[in-house]
Amino acid sequence: PNQLVKNYVKWQNEILSPETMIDSVSRGCQIARSVPQGPSFLSIPWELMLEKNSSSNFGCVYKPTPSPSPVMEEVRGVAEHLINSKMPVIITENAGRDTEVILRLVALSELLSMPVIESVDPIYYNFPKNHPLHLGYNANEVLAEADTIFVIGCQTPWHTPSKYPINNAKVIFLDEHPIKERLPFWGYHSDITLSADIKTWLDDLLDILKIEISNKENIDNAVKERFNYWSKKHDQLTETLQKQAEAGENNNLISAKTFFYKTNKLLPRDCLFFSEATTHENLIRQYISNPQTYFKVQFGGLGLGLGTSSGYKLANPNPPVVLFVGDGAFNYNTVVAGLGPVSYTHLTLPTKRIV
């Protein structure tokens, strides 16, 4: 079985003797918890688990390897470059995996008036959508003007990889594991590649930036001008999305944009949204304005939406829970098993099939 999953896991192994079982489990846990974190798979034959093992030696306990610490010379170099840059921008995709990083991204963005773009299909909530420096999910317009592209926690910042940078823009990659050696093709240009814990690295960067900015003249004017420029872009984007949603209502028919726009306005702020949509995923991301209550359950395949959302509802009965699911994905779900426990416990799980 371990050969069947080797392309989908970080590490796999088969245990051939009871003497190596405990050590292999410990090593599998170490590899799974080390950066970059990922699943380990151990194949243990049933007959080995039935054998008696009287040994009290539990072997070596392997501890996960920590993320590399920031190199201060690199941090100072990036800080100087960002201060001297005229149009620096930030792109992220999964930095929000650590919720404390979100606060650092906001602080960095505001300190230098750097707009933040999320990749086309972000995995986590990375930046407040109502923030005036959030520029949505289409990086093309912003990258065309950038002279520094700071990519933080991102695997696919833009498409196609060869499209950017342009105009001699410098690209800086910061991630716990920026090399992406498991991908057969990656193709993104990088001038500076930084491997470190993102939160720790940004803390050091912010400390240095605050000191350096206090010693610079006329930087406040440049930062203010950038903020005014990008905040207007944010307002234009928000207005465009609203107009498109309002224009989508026609008698008894409404567009998907209108539906998600009105759903977001009508439901309470503590409502939890689960999504197993495919075609409409981007619209859900754009119009559900409180992404801290939004959970995407479409990873690796379809058929998880009903079970995930109903399980959360059973564990947390108070906040409303809504599932968005495509008509195809709905048929992949085990409907009876997914909705049965909710019905049995007399809870409510509104499910919207999107056709």
Side-chain angles (χ1 to χ4, degrees):
N2 57 309
Q3 294 299 315
L4 296 175
V5 301
K6 66 178 182 180
N7 292 328
Y8 310 102
V9 298
K10 184 179 177 183
W11 178 79
Q12 51 80 29
N13 194 17
E14 181 181 8
I15 296 177
L16 300 177
S17 67
E19 290 78 17
T20 62
M21 185 183 305
I22 295 176
D23 185 80
S24 296
V25 171
S26 181
R27 176 161 166 76
C29 292
Q30 179 199 35
I31 293 174
R33 296 173 59 199
S34 297
V35 176
Q37 293 184 351
S40 294
F41 182 89
L42 276 177
S43 175
I44 306 177
W46 181 250
E47 56 270 20
L48 290 185
M49 299 179 67
L50 295 176
E51 290 188 18
K52 293 183 178 180
N53 188 348
S54 59
S55 174
S56 60
N57 180 17
F58 285 92
C60 178
V61 178
Y62 298 107
K63 296 182 178 180
T65 56
S67 300
S69 300
V71 179
M72 295 311 297
E73 183 179 351
E74 295 177 340
V75 180
R76 293 189 187 94
V78 171
E80 182 179 0
H81 182 80
L82 291 176
I83 290 174
N84 295 327
S85 179
K86 294 181 179 180
M87 278 293 189
V89 304
I90 297 172
I91 298 182
T92 185
E93 180 179 15
N94 53 40
R97 179 176 184 175
D98 183 348
T99 55
E100 293 187 10
V101 172
I102 300 171
L103 301 177
R104 275 71 174 177
L105 285 177
V106 172
L108 176 60
S109 173
E110 293 176 345
L111 191 61
L112 292 175
S113 291
M114 300 169 62
V116 176
I117 312 102
E118 297 185 75
S119 68
V120 176
D121 193 20
I123 302 174
Y124 298 95
Y125 162 59
N126 299 293
F127 199 83
K129 281 196 264 188
N130 58 355
H131 194 285
L133 291 173
H134 186 269
L135 268 293
Y137 304 91
N138 186 354
N140 289 328
E141 181 179 352
V142 178
L143 293 183
E145 302 183 59
D147 61 355
T148 298
I149 305 171
F150 195 4
V151 184
I152 302 176
C154 202
Q155 181 166 290
T156 53
W158 58 80
H159 187 73
T160 55
S162 61
K163 190 172 184 178
Y164 299 101
I166 59 176
N167 303 324
N168 297 316
K170 178 169 284 190
V171 180
I172 304 170
F173 271 88
L174 168 63
D175 206 341
E176 290 182 338
H177 190 71
I179 304 301
K180 320 297 183 190
E181 78 277 357
R182 286 180 62 90
L183 299 178
F185 175 77
W186 194 51
Y188 289 96
H189 171 80
S190 177
D191 296 287
I192 301 175
T193 302
L194 306 164
S195 178
D197 176 73
I198 296 176
K199 180 172 72 69
T200 304
W201 207 96
L202 291 180
D203 280 337
D204 290 339
L205 176 64
L206 287 167
D207 290 340
I208 293 175
L209 282 173
K210 291 173 183 176
I211 296 173
E212 293 296 325
I213 288 175
S214 65
N215 298 326
K216 293 281 186 179
E217 296 181 359
N218 302 322
I219 191 171
D220 289 340
N221 292 333
V223 171
K224 186 176 181 179
E225 288 178 4
R226 278 202 300 266
F227 179 84
N228 291 335
Y229 179 78
W230 292 121
S231 62
K232 288 180 181 178
K233 295 283 188 181
H234 168 85
D235 293 340
Q236 291 171 2
L237 176 62
T238 303
E239 183 179 356
T240 299
L241 290 174
Q242 180 176 341
K243 287 182 177 179
Q244 290 176 348
E246 293 174 346
E249 187 172 7
N250 182 16
N251 297 325
N252 294 326
L253 299 176
I254 62 173
S255 68
K257 294 179 181 179
T258 305
F259 170 77
F260 292 123
Y261 174 71
K262 291 196 171 187
T263 298
N264 183 65
K265 292 177 71 69
L266 290 173
L267 292 175
R269 296 293 295 171
D270 64 342
C271 181
L272 300 175
F273 297 97
F274 288 80
S275 173
E276 197 177 16
T278 51
T279 306
H280 297 89
E281 187 68 42
N282 189 46
L283 295 180
I284 298 172
R285 191 181 301 114
Q286 288 176 332
Y287 286 103
I288 301 300
S289 61
N290 186 14
Q292 288 175 298
T293 63
Y294 168 72
F295 300 89
K296 179 180 177 181
V297 293
Q298 179 213 337
F299 288 105
L302 301 174
L304 302 175
L306 286 172
T308 303
S309 54
S310 61
Y312 197 99
K313 183 64 177 178
L314 290 170
N316 298 273
N318 292 326
V321 175
V322 175
L323 169 66
F324 298 123
V325 58
D327 57 336
F330 182 82
N331 292 321
Y332 277 95
N333 278 264
T334 52
V335 179
V336 175
L339 295 180
V342 177
S343 175
Y344 180 76
T345 53
H346 304 291
L347 296 174
T348 302
L349 177 63
T351 302
K352 175 60 181 176
R353 290 180 63 189
I354 306 169
V355 181

